[in-house]
């Protein structure tokens, strides 16, 4: 039997097709999805659970301005779980109350998870995008961003005491353009919930994850959901 010699589609075309499918599943950022009534009901039990389970200790909330638009900038840790994002969001809502507008920028893949994405959007989480961040700040809200993103959150365990934004300075331009103050904060200890072996950035480049999933890493770790 002889098979016809059909040309294979170019790898770039296949990569672009996958990227389009992924983008189509990311919900469009909508600040109106934030639900203060839902936050008011959920924040107290969620905050107490986070404090008990992660042994969260948050200090210096009084250093944050009481009102007006601000850009909260922190380091990212904890791998797939990233408990510092949960703890910071809950601590802010618990301290300032659910009525103060507060939005968090998250990776597209996080928001694309069906149930999780819908739940987070009610807390004010938006798919990370410069336009979404600008709109939130212009509305007078506080905005939380982790510039290091997937690169920093999956750094090896022996680098847990390092801040690594991978040269990303877009948050500086954002704050400058919108004339809002930057409030820096530091997370420490979140990586104790996982053993990070390597970012796997070479594997990510080989698989073209940067183009399909906006990922710079293919992490190899002992962490949820694998362990």
């Amino acid at each position: 039997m002889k098979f016809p010699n059909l040309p294979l589609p170019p790898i770039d075309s296949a990569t672009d097709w996958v990227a389009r499918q992924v983008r189509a599943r990311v919900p469009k950022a909508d600040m109106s999805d934030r639900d203060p009534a839902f936050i008011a009901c959920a924040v107290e039990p969620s905050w107490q659970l986070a404090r008990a389970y992660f042994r969260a200790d948050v200090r210096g909330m009084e250093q944050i301005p009481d009102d007006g638009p601000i850009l909260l900038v922190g380091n990212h840790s904890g791998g797939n779980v990233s408990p510092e994002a949960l703890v910071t969001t809950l601590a802010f809502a618990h301290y300032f109350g659910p009525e103060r507008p507060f939005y968090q920028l998250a990776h597209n893949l996080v928001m694309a998870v069906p149930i999780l994405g819908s739940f987070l959007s009610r807390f004010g989480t938006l798919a990370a995008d410069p336009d979404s961040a600008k709109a939130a700040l212009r509305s007078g809200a506080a905005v939380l961003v982790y510039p290091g993103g997937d690169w920093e959150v999956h750094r090896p365990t022996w680098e847990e005491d390092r801040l690594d934004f991978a040269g990303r300075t877009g948050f500086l331009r954002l704050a400058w353009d919108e004339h809002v103050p930057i409030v820096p904060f530091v997370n420490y200890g979140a990586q104790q919930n996982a053993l990070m072996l390597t970012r796997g950035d070479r594997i990510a480049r080989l698989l073209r994850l940067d183009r399909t999933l906006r990922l710079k890493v293919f992490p190899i770790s002992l962490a949820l959901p694998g362990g």
Side-chain angles (χ1 to χ4, degrees):
M1 181 180 293
K2 185 177 181 180
F3 293 94
N5 186 20
L6 297 177
L8 295 175
I11 189 170
D12 285 342
S13 298
T15 300
D16 292 339
W17 182 86
V18 173
R20 288 195 297 270
Q21 301 307 307
V22 173
R23 286 196 296 268
R25 286 166 171 74
V26 179
K28 186 176 180 181
D30 188 349
M31 292 191 299
S32 65
D33 287 342
R34 185 178 184 273
D35 188 347
F38 170 78
I39 296 173
C41 294
V43 66
E44 185 62 31
S46 299
W47 171 237
Q48 295 304 329
L49 179 61
R51 289 188 64 189
Y53 186 81
F54 293 115
R55 303 190 301 275
D57 180 18
V58 181
R59 306 177 187 180
M61 295 294 291
E62 68 281 358
Q63 303 295 329
I64 301 175
D66 291 331
D67 53 26
I70 58 171
L71 190 62
L72 289 164
V73 178
N75 61 301
H76 217 2
S77 302
N80 298 330
V81 178
S82 302
E84 78 284 357
L86 172 66
V87 168
T88 303
T89 299
L90 292 174
F92 190 98
H94 182 266
Y95 186 85
F96 289 104
E99 296 303 326
R100 182 175 183 182
F102 176 46
Y103 296 93
Q104 314 87 42
L105 303 185
H107 196 280
N108 283 0
L109 288 183
V110 175
M111 301 308 295
V113 178
I115 298 177
L116 178 63
S118 299
F119 177 82
L120 294 177
S121 65
R122 299 182 73 180
F123 262 95
T125 307
L126 306 171
D129 179 83
D131 291 336
S132 299
K134 289 179 182 179
L137 290 172
R138 290 173 184 177
S139 73
V143 175
L144 170 65
V145 62
Y146 296 102
D150 58 332
W151 180 263
E152 186 176 40
V153 79
H154 292 292
R155 68 189 183 278
T157 295
W158 50 88
E159 296 180 9
E160 66 177 346
D161 59 345
R162 300 182 187 178
L163 276 65
D164 187 355
F165 289 178
R168 300 169 184 174
T169 57
F171 69 97
L172 295 172
R173 172 59 61 184
L174 175 64
W176 177 270
D177 289 344
E178 300 304 317
H179 307 288
V180 299
I182 292 176
V183 179
F185 64 97
V186 175
N187 299 296
Y188 187 77
Q191 282 197 316
Q192 294 178 9
N193 76 97
L195 177 62
M196 315 292 186
L197 301 177
T198 177
R199 289 186 176 97
D201 48 303
R202 293 183 179 179
I203 301 176
R205 289 195 298 270
L206 180 65
L207 298 177
R208 300 197 172 198
L209 297 184
D210 56 335
R211 293 186 57 180
T212 56
L213 302 178
R214 290 183 58 193
L215 287 175
K216 302 294 184 184
V217 300
F218 187 87
I220 298 175
S221 60
L222 182 61
L224 290 174

